[in-house]
Amino acid sequence: MASRSVSPVLVGRERERAALLAAHGDAAREATVVLVGGEAGMGKTRLVREFASGLGASARTVAGGCTDLGTDGPPFGAFVTALRRLVRAMGVPVAAGLLPGGGRRGLARLLPELGEDDGDPDRDLGRARLFEEALLLLEGSAADRPLVVALEDLHWADRSTGELLSFLAQNLSGPGLLLVGTYRPDEIVATHPLRPLVARGENVRRIALTGLDRDAVAQQVAALLGHDPGEPRVERIFRRSEGNPLFVEALVAAGDAPARSLRDLLLTDVERLPEPSRRVVHAAAVAASPVAHGLLAALVGMDDLEFEDALRPLVRRRLLEVVDGGYAFRRDLIREAVHDGLLPGERVRLHRRCAEAISADRRLVPADRAPVEIAVHWYAAGEDARAAEAAWQAAESARRAYAHAERHRMLDRVLRLWDRLPDLPDRIGADRLTVMEMTAEACLNAGELDAGIAVATAALGESPDPERAAALLVTRAAMRDRDGQDPLPDLLEAARSLPAAPASAVRGRVLAELATSQRNHRRLAAARASAEEALEIGRRTRDRVVQAKALVTLAALAAANADLPAATDLFGQAGAAARDAGADDTRLLVAITESDALEAAGEHARAAQVARQGMALADGLGLARTRGTLLAPNLSESLLSLGDWPAAGEVNRDALGLAPPPLYQAYLRIIQATVDLRRGDVGQAERAAEQARAALRGNNRGEESCLEPDLLDCRLAQVKQDAGAVAAVIDHVLSDHDLLVSPRYGWPLLLAAAQSLSDHRQAEGLIERLIAWSTKLTATGRLQQAYKVTFEAETGQEGIDAWPRAIAAWRDLEQPYALAETLLRAARAALSAQDRGQAAVLLTEAASIATDLGAGPLRTEIEKLAKRSRVLVDAPVPQHATPAGLTNRELEVLELLTAGLSNRQIGEHLFISAKTAGVHVSNILAKLTVSTRLEAAAWAHRTHLFDEK
């Protein structure tokens, strides 16, 4: 009996298959991502395919794979194929119905079957929207029927594919979806786009395929031969193949042939082919896999019958498999062996023919692959001029698909070929400076900051005209800001390079950005001047985006001066301008800045409301998981001030689970560390603080980016009663920073230090320094005035009569923790004045607040003082636990659910997304042990939970 080229059974993979089945079971409850790793030939693809086929009709399965062009491959290559198959399986109307605007603002750029996209790419939000829509399509499809998405050969992933996969791994949450990827671990180098997921992806399961053991090899050999091979032969094959299934197949096929390299053995079947079939397989090895029937026919130049006769042996021997009307190598390692065995001249000739064929008829490859494949083949053929032209076109295709890293790579190729091609400007219709400007923009969007700063600097050396130089400086400033450097010098230089008259749109855009940076650096007068000029230019040029950004800065400055009515009006104008311009990113900027300004002014409830509205806007734009997370720190900080620590913790957990940018992760962790400190979990607070410090130690956003972590360090030392550490922090602050530019953090730092050092005689000199600084530090608005009067009371500057004013200030702000802390300090002062009755009143209220908040350390400190001074404190009644363990937010949702509101209506009422409302409803049902909304409402009526309301 002749041996088979492929084993008819999958052997030795029972454990791995069971792991996939377990992941599929878990995916029924929550989306799951699995990466299957193994060196070439280990059977990754076969394992996944047999697992998927075993699911039968119980799940929909779609697959896609990265092309063997690697990082030069088409952007989002594996996802485009898989999503296209999913849309076709669902039907275009059903798929489009899952996406905002039918997908025309995002996913249609990858999937033309969704309809014509909505025009020029959205520079600010386009990529985020595309990622969100891919997620919505996958989750929406899985909600209807369990879905398995297989992404093969991720070791060849382009940067955009890796970033989209990382985004999905972090953000997929709905039930029914299993995403499985395969890769070769030895090809995942430090700079590979898959590296973060493989190395430390927290939401990813990993399955490692290693060599088969001896028994499994014996089973495979027997299945290939159709009879018992005998122990000696199994031993030889096992030893030489090291358990690699592909090498086992090759060694069985070679029979008793002389020993050769394993790679040569893979070519045994190829060498036995007739000459026409070898021509076909050589062409297939050069073309990107899978290769369409028409393209392969064009490459070999045979008539139809001759071509079909040449193909049959390849398909029969399983060298090539039929895939979507084309052909792909059954094993990538065989393709690589065939490609490496070609003569240099053969490879050049075949690459040239590929480029010519696709250029002549782009229908020979999928539309998304044509630009980049033409560019790759001309480059490999050594045709510099055509390669540069094709790279230019591929860069534009990448721009429209929001594939920023791929656009950068193609533009960089154009620049590298520039000096060899004197006529290139005429060929592409752009000069060198234009290409450099585009390259810098691509680097900014791709996050390739070092390369972008370098190319922007080189472009400035080309002596551009003032407007182009200013635009380059703004781009470089943005990259420096993201890289933790100070953007202000570049923005100042950009403004200086442009004449004030006549007013130009470019100057308006520069000044709007400059005003923002100056405000971050607390150069408030300069920021106002820049914003006012930008606003005037924006009105003259009718640039509503410039107007909106300038108005945001002016509004924030008004809020900083405690002129809240003016600030509210200006923020309203900014929002209207952004809406008129259709500038969604600027609309979100308004919400971010307004909520932050209100919080800084002590308007905590209003700040929380604005932040929630901004998050609802982000959700409505399809950006809840991206831009929406930028509002989370603002909401969390306001909830912290209001004393709603459970809600603040919930916001922090939800936002951190969505992997926001590092800077915003740092803000969230600082807030969470403060909550942990006040609850008494010092260890957890220290861990959160450590995670936040690295991103906030630079001064690229002014002194505040340094003072905020310093304040947290001071509070950590204060809770641990380490006066020496407090003294060290405050000495560093007073010596190395300028508190005068940031009263927002200056006053809390002065007060925390005074509270910790007031009882330490050796700190008298430092207390005097604190008092000296306090006389120079402005106190604008109710919140800063509250800190100021409390500091004066703490340092004894106003005598005991200052404490009632401090208590009244915090009571007016509705900031319970600060109020309780001040009541405790006032009680100490009353005891020093022998007023035990007043001390008892103050301590009783402080104890009640501390108990309600769950502020364990503060409550302990109150009890110690009362016991030490023998003051009787009326025991406060502890706050009752909420029914069934429901959180305050879940009680709000349950009340609205009981009133008959849908998830969407609940979300609108509470300024949260419908999806978040649905999560709360699911949690409520689980805690009440009921299965329907009606049963939950009946439980609320039965327990009279909301009768008073």
Side-chain angles (χ1 to χ4, degrees):
M1 179 185 294
S3 67
R4 298 179 174 91
S5 61
V6 180
S7 173
V9 294
L10 179 67
V11 301
R13 298 303 186 202
E14 293 79 13
R15 184 179 59 187
E16 293 83 356
R17 192 168 184 175
L20 285 174
L21 286 169
H24 182 253
D26 292 341
R29 295 181 293 277
E30 184 177 26
T32 304
V33 179
V34 179
L35 291 179
V36 180
E39 66 182 58
M42 283 296 173
K44 302 179 292 295
T45 296
R46 183 166 186 181
L47 169 68
V48 173
R49 289 181 182 177
E50 294 215 5
F51 154 73
S53 66
L55 299 176
S58 66
R60 176 184 284 133
T61 300
V62 294
C66 299
T67 70
D68 42 34
L69 298 175
T71 55
D72 276 341
F76 302 106
F79 279 106
V80 170
T81 304
L83 294 177
R84 177 170 289 132
R85 289 170 175 167
L86 177 59
V87 169
R88 289 173 181 169
M90 298 176 67
V92 171
V94 175
L98 297 172
L99 306 173
R104 287 186 296 277
R105 300 188 72 188
L107 211 50
R109 296 183 182 278
L110 300 184
L111 305 175
E113 44 267 78
L114 290 174
E116 187 175 352
D117 63 61
D118 63 352
D120 204 51
D122 185 333
R123 170 176 173 171
D124 294 317
L125 297 180
R127 186 176 175 89
R129 182 175 288 114
L130 188 150
F131 279 27
E132 291 274 359
E133 290 188 6
L135 183 145
L136 289 172
L137 179 61
L138 292 171
E139 287 191 337
S141 171
D144 174 61
R145 177 183 174 189
L147 174 65
V148 176
V149 178
L151 304 174
E152 298 179 10
D153 299 322
L154 289 172
H155 47 276
W156 287 327
D158 57 280
R159 169 88 173 271
S160 292
T161 293
E163 290 173 349
L164 177 53
L165 180 59
S166 295
F167 173 81
L168 294 174
Q170 290 287 342
N171 294 293
L172 285 168
S173 58
L177 174 62
L178 175 63
L179 197 157
V180 182
T182 68
Y183 71 99
R184 298 180 191 171
D186 55 322
E187 297 195 27
I188 308 301
V189 297
T191 56
H192 194 281
L194 202 65
R195 179 72 178 185
L197 278 183
V198 171
R200 58 182 182 278
E202 295 178 358
N203 302 319
V204 176
R205 302 186 189 186
R206 298 163 191 79
I207 297 175
L209 292 191
T210 56
L212 300 176
D213 61 25
R214 191 182 183 286
D215 289 343
V217 168
Q219 292 178 51
Q220 184 184 4
V221 173
L224 287 166
L225 292 173
H227 59 79
D228 184 354
E231 290 297 321
R233 188 172 188 184
V234 168
E235 182 62 32
R236 287 197 305 271
I237 292 175
F238 174 65
R239 186 172 61 252
R240 192 155 185 223
S241 69
E242 296 181 340
N244 185 305
L246 177 59
F247 293 156
V248 171
E249 291 174 1
L251 288 163
V252 169
D256 294 325
R260 305 155 67 191
S261 73
L262 288 171
R263 182 171 287 268
D264 287 344
L265 282 173
L266 295 176
L267 298 177
T268 300
D269 273 353
V270 176
E271 292 169 353
R272 295 171 180 170
L273 292 168
E275 190 275 335
S277 297
R278 288 202 302 274
R279 285 172 55 198
V280 173
V281 83
H282 290 170
V286 170
S289 181
V291 55
H293 179 94
L295 176 57
L296 195 53
L299 295 180
V300 296
M302 300 176 183
D303 62 44
D304 289 348
L305 291 177
E306 183 184 7
F307 180 50
E308 290 168 7
D309 286 342
L311 272 170
R312 283 194 180 92
L314 300 175
V315 175
R316 186 172 59 250
R317 299 185 188 189
R318 302 288 301 276
L319 287 167
L320 296 182
E321 292 181 324
V322 178
V323 179
D324 288 346
Y327 308 94
F329 280 87
R330 181 177 63 86
R331 297 283 197 177
D332 294 325
L333 208 56
I334 297 174
R335 186 204 66 82
E336 293 167 15
V338 172
H339 185 274
D340 292 348
L342 294 174
L343 296 172
E346 284 183 285
R347 280 199 293 269
V348 168
R349 174 176 55 80
L350 286 169
H351 277 297
R352 182 183 297 110
R353 295 197 67 171
C354 282
E356 290 170 342
I358 300 170
S359 298
D361 185 0
R362 294 194 172 211
R363 294 172 300 176
L364 293 175
V365 295
D368 61 292
R369 287 173 48 176
V372 71
E373 287 197 26
I374 294 170
V376 167
H377 288 306
W378 279 130
Y379 189 71
E383 299 274 357
D384 288 351
R386 289 176 170 177
E389 286 184 76
W392 176 254
Q393 293 167 4
E396 172 58 18
S397 177
R399 181 185 75 91
R400 297 193 63 80
Y402 305 115
H404 306 307
E406 291 73 17
R407 183 188 183 208
H408 168 219
R409 190 171 59 254
M410 289 293 130
L411 290 172
D412 183 65
R413 181 168 294 173
V414 173
L415 290 173
R416 290 176 185 276
L417 294 171
W418 196 276
D419 291 336
R420 304 184 205 170
L421 304 167
D423 64 340
L424 188 53
D426 295 330
R427 285 177 175 268
I428 65 173
D431 59 18
R432 179 186 177 92
L433 180 59
T434 298
V435 181
M436 296 175 84
E437 290 168 335
M438 291 180 171
T439 305
E441 179 188 52
C443 289
L444 169 63
N445 292 330
E448 295 174 349
L449 304 179
D450 290 341
I453 291 170
V455 76
T457 302
L460 288 165
E462 299 274 318
S463 302
D465 64 59
E467 288 198 351
R468 295 179 79 174
L472 279 164
L473 286 164
V474 170
T475 300
R476 190 171 72 178
M479 287 186 281
R480 284 181 165 164
D481 183 42
R482 292 188 188 183
D483 198 36
Q485 303 176 45
D486 189 354
L488 189 56
D490 276 346
L491 293 172
L492 288 169
E493 184 181 347
R496 285 193 296 266
S497 70
L498 296 170
S504 68
V506 174
R507 181 170 173 82
R509 290 193 290 272
V510 169
L511 290 172
E513 299 297 333
L514 174 60
T516 300
S517 184
Q518 288 170 324
R519 183 175 67 84
N520 287 338
H521 282 74
R522 310 300 296 173
R523 300 184 182 184
L524 303 186
R528 181 179 301 280
S530 297
E532 288 174 345
E533 186 180 349
L535 180 60
E536 179 62 26
I537 293 173
R539 286 170 174 164
R540 289 184 189 175
T541 59
R542 299 183 179 180
D543 189 328
R544 294 291 273 163
V545 173
V546 166
Q547 292 176 45
K549 289 184 176 181
L551 285 164
V552 165
T553 297
L554 293 172
L557 293 173
N561 285 329
D563 190 352
L564 294 183
T568 300
D569 178 61
L570 289 166
F571 277 124
Q573 292 182 47
R579 281 193 299 274
D580 291 347
D584 294 336
D585 201 40
T586 307
R587 291 176 67 190
L588 293 171
L589 172 67
V590 174
I592 291 167
T593 310
E594 183 176 10
S595 57
D596 182 64
L598 288 169
E599 174 61 26
E603 301 294 327
H604 310 305
R606 284 178 60 192
Q609 182 183 27
V610 170
R612 288 193 190 280
Q613 290 171 337
M615 293 173 78
L617 170 62
D619 182 59
L621 294 170
L623 299 167
R625 290 176 172 87
T626 48
R627 298 296 188 180
T629 62
L630 306 189
L631 281 149
N634 293 6
L635 174 58
S636 181
E637 185 176 10
S638 297
L639 293 170
L640 169 66
S641 298
L642 291 166
D644 194 349
W645 297 352
E650 184 179 349
V651 170
N652 289 341
R653 285 191 300 275
D654 289 348
L656 287 168
L658 300 176
L663 186 64
Y664 292 90
Q665 287 189 41
Y667 292 148
L668 287 162
R669 294 190 192 284
I670 281 181
I671 296 163
Q672 189 58 48
T674 305
V675 173
D676 292 335
L677 271 181
R678 292 177 178 178
R679 283 177 167 161
D681 192 343
V682 177
Q684 183 67 27
E686 287 181 320
R687 286 189 291 274
E690 187 63 35
Q691 291 172 310
R693 283 188 184 102
L696 284 172
R697 278 304 187 192
N699 67 346
N700 60 313
R701 293 178 181 267
E703 290 284 354
E704 290 187 353
S705 62
C706 300
L707 294 177
E708 192 169 4
D710 287 335
L711 176 58
L712 178 58
D713 286 345
C714 191
R715 285 173 171 163
L716 276 165
Q718 185 180 13
V719 166
K720 292 190 288 187
Q721 298 183 346
D722 187 344
V726 171
V729 171
I730 203 67
D731 182 67
H732 153 72
V733 168
L734 299 181
S735 302
D736 299 339
H737 296 296
D738 186 359
L739 282 185
L740 301 184
V741 302
S742 181
R744 177 177 183 175
Y745 292 102
W747 282 114
L749 274 162
L750 291 181
L751 178 58
Q755 289 172 337
S756 299
L757 301 174
S758 58
D759 297 330
H760 294 268
R761 294 179 181 177
Q762 64 269 30
E764 289 180 2
L766 194 50
I767 293 290
E768 291 174 1
R769 287 179 69 191
L770 297 177
I771 294 172
W773 272 97
S774 74
T775 62
K776 297 180 284 185
L777 192 62
T778 60
T780 306
R782 293 190 304 150
L783 183 57
Q784 291 177 22
Q785 286 290 343
Y787 275 113
K788 181 177 187 293
V789 69
T790 308
F791 175 82
E792 290 171 347
E794 185 67 46
T795 53
Q797 298 177 67
E798 300 293 328
I800 195 169
D801 293 337
W803 285 111
R805 295 198 302 274
I807 292 168
W810 292 115
R811 202 184 300 280
D812 181 58
L813 285 163
E814 299 182 10
Q815 207 161 324
Y817 184 84
L819 173 59
E821 205 172 37
T822 304
L823 288 165
L824 169 61
R825 311 296 290 191
R828 286 180 174 171
L831 287 170
S832 297
Q834 304 301 313
D835 191 344
R836 296 170 57 81
Q838 178 65 8
V841 171
L842 295 170
L843 288 174
T844 296
E845 184 180 1
S848 177
I849 295 172
T851 300
D852 287 347
L853 289 173
L858 182 60
R859 171 71 199 216
T860 300
E861 195 174 350
I862 293 165
E863 291 172 347
K864 285 181 177 178
L865 178 61
K867 183 177 182 180
R868 188 169 62 247
S869 57
R870 298 182 180 179
V871 170
L872 180 63
V873 174
D874 292 339
V877 178
Q879 188 179 45
H880 293 295
T882 56
L886 298 175
T887 66
N888 290 333
R889 172 61 78 188
E890 288 165 352
L891 286 171
E892 291 175 332
V893 172
L894 178 57
E895 182 178 6
L896 297 173
L897 180 155
T898 303
L901 274 65
S902 67
N903 287 352
R904 180 181 60 79
Q905 292 169 323
I906 293 171
E908 291 172 352
H909 191 88
L910 297 177
F911 301 110
I912 59 178
S913 70
K915 185 176 182 66
T916 300
V919 172
H920 286 307
V921 170
S922 297
N923 292 338
I924 290 168
L925 298 182
K927 290 181 179 181
L928 300 184
T929 63
V930 298
S931 55
T932 68
R933 300 164 72 95
L934 186 60
E935 289 177 311
W939 181 91
H941 285 300
R942 200 165 52 247
T943 57
H944 307 287
L945 185 59
F946 304 118
D947 283 2
E948 292 183 7
K949 298 187 178 184

